[in-house]
Amino acid sequence: MMKLIYFMGRSVCHQIPERSFFILNKQLPLCARCTGIYMGVFLGFLYLFLRKRWKGNKPPSLKILLSIIFCWIPIIIDGVTSYIGLRESNNMIRLITGFLFGVFWPVFILLLKNYQVTKKNSLDIIKDYQDLIFMICILIPFTGILSVQSVLIWWMISGITVGTLMYVYVQMIFILIKNLFFSSYIKLLYFIAFIISAMIMSGLSWMNHHLLAQYR
């Protein structure tokens, strides 16, 4: 199971040890930035589910949209400035900027999934700034959990982040094939999306392992 988790995580992540968190001397399957992104995605989905926004289809207001884009700027600045050598980043910064980037993905995934062109879309996904603040503040307890040295915490974070990664693949491919074929066989489309996602992740993981290993 552990090998499978590392294999799936490698489909999107370089898994460089120096840029990853360790729990009980065991490296997490995603680097610090990717851990932040996909834990953010998971907690964003969880928040919207608990707030009963799962079927939301109303695009966010321009002010909310600009606020979300503003939260995406730190990961761009951190990535670019550290890549070109202007400064040295660290894993906590990578985690935080990754979280701010990922926690709002669910808003757009749900919008793509639920939006109906021919009908009135009036169900809010994000209502106001209070939602944005609550979603950002979820980062605080997560960073506390990440510091706990426990095998249970390792499995929890690894399972959630890699499972969320797979979930994002499936949802995006499901949205694509549903819009292409206009099929109402939802379960069949999800099954097809899962198979395609598994194939894509396997191919990317293989490429990462064999073609990019020299750059690690």
Side-chain angles (χ1 to χ4, degrees), residues 56-71:
N57 53 21
K58 182 179 178 180
S61 67
L62 180 59
K63 290 182 179 180
I64 295 295
L65 181 59
L66 290 175
S67 298
I68 291 175
I69 294 174
F70 180 78
C71 289

Side-chain angles (χ1 to χ4, degrees), residues 12-26:
V12 297
C13 183
H14 52 67
Q15 296 179 331
I16 296 175
E18 293 78 12
R19 298 182 183 179
S20 304
F21 286 105
F22 285 73
I23 296 179
L24 293 178
N25 296 319
K26 191 68 177 179

Side-chain angles (χ1 to χ4, degrees), residues 10-63:
R10 198 163 57 230
S11 66
V12 297
C13 183
H14 52 67
Q15 296 179 331
I16 296 175
E18 293 78 12
R19 298 182 183 179
S20 304
F21 286 105
F22 285 73
I23 296 179
L24 293 178
N25 296 319
K26 191 68 177 179
Q27 181 180 345
L28 290 175
L30 299 179
C31 70
R33 182 170 285 124
C34 288
T35 296
I37 290 173
Y38 289 100
M39 184 57 75
V41 174
F42 171 78
L43 293 174
F45 271 125
L46 180 62
Y47 174 83
L48 294 176
F49 176 78
L50 294 176
R51 295 301 302 270
K52 300 181 180 179
R53 312 280 177 77
W54 203 251
K55 296 184 179 180
N57 53 21
K58 182 179 178 180
S61 67
L62 180 59
K63 290 182 179 180

Side-chain angles (χ1 to χ4, degrees), residues 8 22 39 43-44 59 62 69 71 73 93 96 98 100 111-113 123 131 138 140 150 162 168 170 186 193:
M8 293 174 65
F22 285 73
M39 184 57 75
L43 293 174
L62 180 59
I69 294 174
C71 289
I73 293 176
I93 292 176
I96 293 172
L100 291 175
L111 183 62
L112 288 171
K113 184 177 179 181
L123 299 176
D131 283 325
I138 301 174
I140 298 174
S150 166
V162 173
V168 170
V170 171
I186 302 301

Side-chain angles (χ1 to χ4, degrees), residues 94-108:
R94 296 183 183 108
L95 177 78
I96 293 172
T97 56
F99 184 92
L100 291 175
F101 181 62
V103 72
F104 298 115
W105 283 18
V107 175
F108 300 99

Side-chain angles (χ1 to χ4, degrees), residues 173-186:
I173 293 175
F174 168 82
I175 291 168
L176 178 62
I177 60 178
K178 185 175 184 292
N179 289 330
L180 285 176
F181 299 105
F182 302 101
S183 175
S184 58
Y185 296 99
I186 302 301

